[in-house]
Amino acid sequence: IIEDYEGHLWLSTTTGLVEYVPGAADFYQGDFVHYNHDDFNANTLSDDFIRDIYAEPAAVDGAKVIWVGTRNGLNRLSFRRGGVKITRIFHDPADRSSLPGNFISVIHEDQNGQLWIAALGGGLCKMVEGRNGQVRARFQWINDEGGLLNRDVETLLEDEQGRFWLGGHGITRFDPQSNEFKYYDVSDGLQSNS
């Protein structure tokens, strides 16, 4: 559950995305809006199994933007007065600037305002273009080819120094500034590597 800058609540479920719009006079007398996948409508979510949600902290080019990670792709929801435009973003094996995987586990904005996406089986990536929705989304991959021990990144926590603590196979500490990795596993005292 997250809250956007307008005070709306966003809930991830296994049956779609839910937005709670609080009532004007009473927060608890609001409305629920459901967003789902439809095979025959491209302006819907890429999948109903929602893994993570990120709300941009302010309007982007005059629109409220909500990022939704699913088990089958990343979605950019852009809200304007005329409704919502949903852009589906997928992994393309032939394009090294696409998402590194489709099972999105984490969407995170770091202390420097960079948007990071973690994907099970794909590792971690930084969005380098397309956040404003004007151009195609492009990503810089950080995976086992670049020093990450395992491509299954399930969780991400950023510490005060801007380092990422990644959960998946053991724990990985990643410094995005220096591109350095440190790994922790059962030999370091963890109960397990999963």
Side-chain angles (χ1 to χ4, degrees):
I1 300 173
I2 65 162
E3 183 177 2
D4 69 28
Y5 63 85
E6 294 180 322
H8 297 195
L9 301 180
W10 296 86
L11 299 88
S12 61
T13 75
T14 58
T15 58
L17 178 69
V18 178
E19 174 187 17
Y20 178 70
V21 183
D26 182 352
F27 179 87
Y28 300 102
Q29 297 298 317
D31 295 308
F32 289 95
V33 182
H34 298 266
Y35 302 89
N36 296 94
H37 170 75
D38 181 343
D39 286 333
F40 303 104
N41 183 350
N43 196 45
T44 63
L45 297 175
S46 60
D47 194 83
D48 282 333
F49 195 107
I50 310 302
R51 298 283 301 150
D52 202 11
I53 308 166
Y54 174 74
E56 292 285 359
V60 177
D61 292 333
K64 176 165 65 174
V65 174
I66 307 294
W67 293 93
V68 180
T70 74
R71 66 180 175 186
N72 186 31
L74 179 66
N75 300 265
R76 182 184 190 276
L77 284 68
S78 177
F79 293 87
R80 296 188 185 277
R81 291 179 196 254
V84 61
K85 178 185 178 204
I86 300 176
T87 304
R88 299 173 178 177
I89 303 167
F90 296 104
H91 169 66
D92 177 356
D95 182 359
R96 295 281 303 189
S97 68
S98 74
L99 276 175
N102 283 326
F103 197 116
I104 307 303
S105 53
V106 178
I107 306 168
H108 174 73
E109 183 181 56
D110 70 15
Q111 297 171 6
N112 298 317
Q114 294 289 320
L115 198 63
W116 295 81
I117 311 296
L120 286 177
L124 182 65
C125 65
K126 176 173 66 171
M127 181 175 273
V128 294
E129 195 170 66
R131 189 166 175 182
N132 65 3
Q134 302 301 314
V135 296
R136 184 180 67 85
R138 294 182 50 241
F139 303 88
Q140 175 187 347
W141 295 6
I142 292 137
N143 56 33
D144 54 342
E145 296 170 13
L148 190 61
L149 191 61
N150 186 289
R151 290 185 183 206
D152 286 334
V153 178
E154 298 178 40
T155 59
L156 183 155
L157 178 68
E158 183 176 5
D159 67 22
E160 292 177 355
Q161 289 79 37
R163 298 174 300 194
F164 295 171
W165 294 84
L166 309 172
H169 181 79
I171 297 175
T172 300
R173 186 183 72 203
F174 169 62
D175 186 333
Q177 300 302 317
S178 66
N179 207 38
E180 293 178 346
F181 295 87
K182 178 149 177 61
Y183 307 102
Y184 303 89
D185 60 20
V186 292
S187 66
D188 297 298
L190 293 180
Q191 290 181 333
S192 76
N193 286 334
S194 55

